[in-house]
Amino acid sequence: MTTIVRNLQLVRDRITTACVAAGRNPATVRLLAVSKTFGAEAVADAASDGQRAFGENYIAEGVEKILALRGRPGEPLEWHCIGPVQSNKTRLVAEHFDWVQSVDRLKIAQRLSEQRPAGLPPLQICLQVNIDGGANKSGLAPDDVLALAREVAQLPRLVLRGLMAIPEPAADFDAACELHARTKAVFDAVNASGALPVPMDTLSLGMTADLEAAIHAGSTMVRVGTAIFGNR
């Protein structure tokens, strides 16, 4: 058993334990393995143990891995862009990734829609929310989420799936729960508004340090890198 496979199993155990503590079914939380800065061989190692969804922050690096692993035997991998997307990179993202979790501008969503190849399934989209108002962080202000969600949900070649947030590290478990609960409240409010043709189903919250708090608050997808692949 490799270190990556051993780490994956430990992270899955953490997710299960956190779900049980929160009174949730572990099947309701997906694991996104964040493979940024690690090579294709590390991704292949994790994939050998059944991990299918991988997150990349750096678009060119992600595309290189996507192409390197495209012909590997077994079930296709699912690639999530979780870093900022600039206008000059939207075509690369639209042509190679399956999900984009970091959309916070209509212009970017429109370009992704226009540039998504007709032969591929629609691009799955999460809107990034700057839930704690970090000055140097990407993401929408909570009050702006509904308006953009309504616009993105109407674009062809895209499917609006949910929200993603990366709050600043919290002092303790309770503080982390409170931060994540703010994003869950925005998620619930948008769904309750009736403004979307189909309700959102994905709440991407929690990383290595705070996945338990995120699951407690209602996360349906945790993004874990360090606990699987090691320190960068």
Side-chain angles (χ1 to χ4, degrees):
M1 182 185 295
T2 67
T3 299
I4 288 175
V5 169
R6 187 179 303 111
N7 289 345
L8 260 177
Q9 294 179 1
L10 291 173
V11 170
R12 290 172 184 146
D13 288 344
R14 284 179 64 187
I15 292 170
T16 298
T17 300
C19 285
V20 170
R24 298 180 58 191
N25 182 344
T28 64
V29 179
R30 295 187 67 198
L31 172 60
L32 181 68
V34 179
S35 44
K36 66 175 182 180
T37 77
F38 290 91
E41 64 281 357
V43 174
D45 196 358
S48 73
D49 194 50
Q51 180 63 30
R52 289 291 171 265
F54 293 88
E56 291 287 331
N57 288 63
Y58 310 121
I59 293 165
E61 176 193 329
V63 169
E64 185 177 331
K65 280 180 257 190
I66 291 168
L67 294 175
L69 293 166
R70 184 163 284 168
R72 63 175 292 280
E75 202 175 323
L77 302 182
E78 180 182 282
W79 294 93
H80 295 235
C81 177
I82 58 175
V85 181
Q86 303 301 323
S87 294
N88 63 345
K89 295 291 179 67
T90 53
R91 185 173 297 280
L92 271 179
V93 174
E95 290 178 348
H96 294 285
F97 284 85
D98 303 296
W99 285 65
V100 185
Q101 296 201 20
S102 48
V103 172
D104 62 2
R105 288 180 289 156
L106 180 58
K107 176 184 176 182
I108 295 300
Q110 289 170 331
R111 289 176 65 87
L112 291 170
S113 175
E114 292 163 2
Q115 295 169 348
R116 182 67 167 175
L120 294 179
L123 198 55
Q124 311 297 296
I125 300 294
C126 289
L127 304 183
Q128 183 171 351
V129 186
N130 185 352
I131 198 62
D132 52 357
N136 298 316
K137 240 186 291 181
S138 300
L140 293 155
D143 289 345
D144 295 334
V145 172
L146 177 57
L148 184 58
R150 186 184 288 113
E151 296 278 1
V152 171
Q154 301 303 319
L155 292 173
R157 311 299 304 146
L158 304 183
V159 175
L160 178 62
R161 295 295 299 272
L163 305 182
M164 183 270 269
I166 313 172
E168 292 293 331
D172 54 34
F173 178 82
D174 289 341
C177 287
E178 191 277 330
L179 268 177
H180 289 310
R182 290 189 214 171
T183 308
K184 177 64 159 61
V186 176
F187 177 88
D188 289 343
V190 172
N191 274 343
S193 72
L196 304 181
V198 178
M200 300 183 296
D201 62 7
T202 300
L203 190 57
S204 178
L205 299 173
M207 299 185 288
T208 292
D210 64 347
L211 70 85
E212 286 84 1
I215 288 170
H216 182 84
S219 175
T220 68
M221 182 182 294
V222 292
R223 309 178 306 272
V224 180
T226 301
I228 296 171
F229 296 106
N231 292 316
R232 294 180 173 82

